[in-house]
Amino acid sequence: MNEPMLTVEEREAINSGRWFSSLSPALRHDILRCAYVKRYQDGDLIAARGDPPQEWIACARGAVRVSSTSLAGRQVTLTYMEPGVWFGDVAFFDGDRCTHDAYAHGSTSTLCVARGDFRKILAQHAEFYEALLRLQARRIRLLFGLVEDLNTLPLRARLAKQLLHLARSYGVPAPADGSDTRISLQLAQEELAHLLGASRQRVNQELKSMERDAVIRIEPSGLVVRDRAALRQIGETEP
């Protein structure tokens, strides 16, 4: 379902995004002026692998699950796009098709810019080119970091770093204790395991170990981070 306006919370998520907030007021204005809102229910397809690129997209509420399908037909989650993150521009640049599937994870809103409008903004704002280069550079750095972690860090350290990332992106104060942080993104342990390239059983073992150490708390509604400093220390562990 499409709605013409962002809510106050959605607009704040877009405007406060690390990359978008670094743009000039004029560029931000022109992007928002031609953008439109789309709203999705949990599991709805946002973009399909192999389709021609149609839109440049930002997550405004909820999460966008980016996935691929293995040769065996199993769907593998690669990452989750949190509010304020833009994506979909790569296929605009190389003229190829979309590289992955994108699904709504929970109730999700996106802000979209059509391909034609994207090109018009590029033509009108030289700043936009440099900004997009910075965006791509950050993605490459993150990708290299993930590959390095996968090959050098034990699962416990990778899990700690992933939990810290989720707490930063989706953390809300836990009602029981103001010093605790609840991860509001609802992830099954199987989904968390996909992000880490590990089995659900091994991830479950590490989560229970962290709970025994009072670093996190496992609740039916999700995970609560109790000690961020301890998570940071675990994430820096060398193999």
Side-chain angles (χ1 to χ4, degrees), residues 48-62:
R49 179 176 185 173
D51 282 355
Q54 301 295 333
E55 298 169 327
W56 183 46
I57 304 171
C59 180
R61 179 172 63 92

Side-chain angles (χ1 to χ4, degrees), residues 55-116:
E55 298 169 327
W56 183 46
I57 304 171
C59 180
R61 179 172 63 92
V64 177
R65 177 170 59 85
V66 179
S67 66
S68 64
T69 304
S70 69
L71 293 176
R74 185 169 67 92
Q75 200 169 75
V76 178
T77 298
L78 302 175
T79 190
Y80 290 86
M81 302 287 191
E82 67 264 24
V85 173
W86 292 81
F87 62 97
D89 44 279
V90 172
F92 283 176
F93 288 132
D94 65 12
D96 209 338
R97 296 177 180 270
C98 296
T99 56
H100 297 91
D101 298 318
Y103 293 91
H105 186 81
S107 181
T108 299
S109 302
T110 62
L111 188 66
C112 307
V113 176
R115 185 174 187 175

Side-chain angles (χ1 to χ4, degrees), residues 5 23-24 44 48 56 58 90 94 108 131 138 187 191 218 238:
M5 299 287 290
L23 306 179
S24 69
D44 286 350
W56 183 46
V90 172
D94 65 12
T108 299
R138 183 166 183 267
L187 288 181
E191 293 170 321
I218 303 172
E238 295 295 331

Side-chain angles (χ1 to χ4, degrees), residues 200-214:
R200 185 193 62 78
Q201 291 80 6
R202 289 189 62 205
V203 169
N204 179 261
Q205 290 171 1
E206 294 294 352
L207 288 173
K208 288 182 177 179
S209 174
M210 289 181 181
E211 185 173 42
R212 288 193 297 270
D213 294 338

Side-chain angles (χ1 to χ4, degrees), residues 135-154:
L135 184 61
Q136 295 303 322
R138 183 166 183 267
R139 288 174 180 158
I140 291 171
R141 288 180 183 274
L142 289 173
L143 177 61
F144 284 170
L146 289 172
V147 173
E148 182 179 5
D149 287 351
L150 187 61
N151 287 279
T152 62
L153 293 181

Side-chain angles (χ1 to χ4, degrees), residues 1-11 14 31-40 46 55-61 86 108-114:
M1 178 177 62
N2 300 342
E3 295 184 12
M5 299 287 290
L6 292 169
T7 66
V8 173
E9 293 78 10
E10 291 166 350
R11 183 173 288 274
I14 294 295
I31 291 172
L32 294 175
R33 180 173 55 84
C34 63
Y36 49 93
V37 180
K38 287 187 174 182
R39 304 192 189 281
Y40 301 91
I46 297 173
E55 298 169 327
W56 183 46
I57 304 171
C59 180
R61 179 172 63 92
W86 292 81
T108 299
S109 302
T110 62
L111 188 66
C112 307
V113 176

Side-chain angles (χ1 to χ4, degrees), residues 27 30-31 34 113 117-125 128:
L27 178 53
D30 282 357
I31 291 172
C34 63
V113 176
D117 288 326
F118 180 89
R119 293 188 177 279
K120 288 179 183 177
I121 297 170
L122 276 176
Q124 294 167 358
H125 293 270
F128 198 22

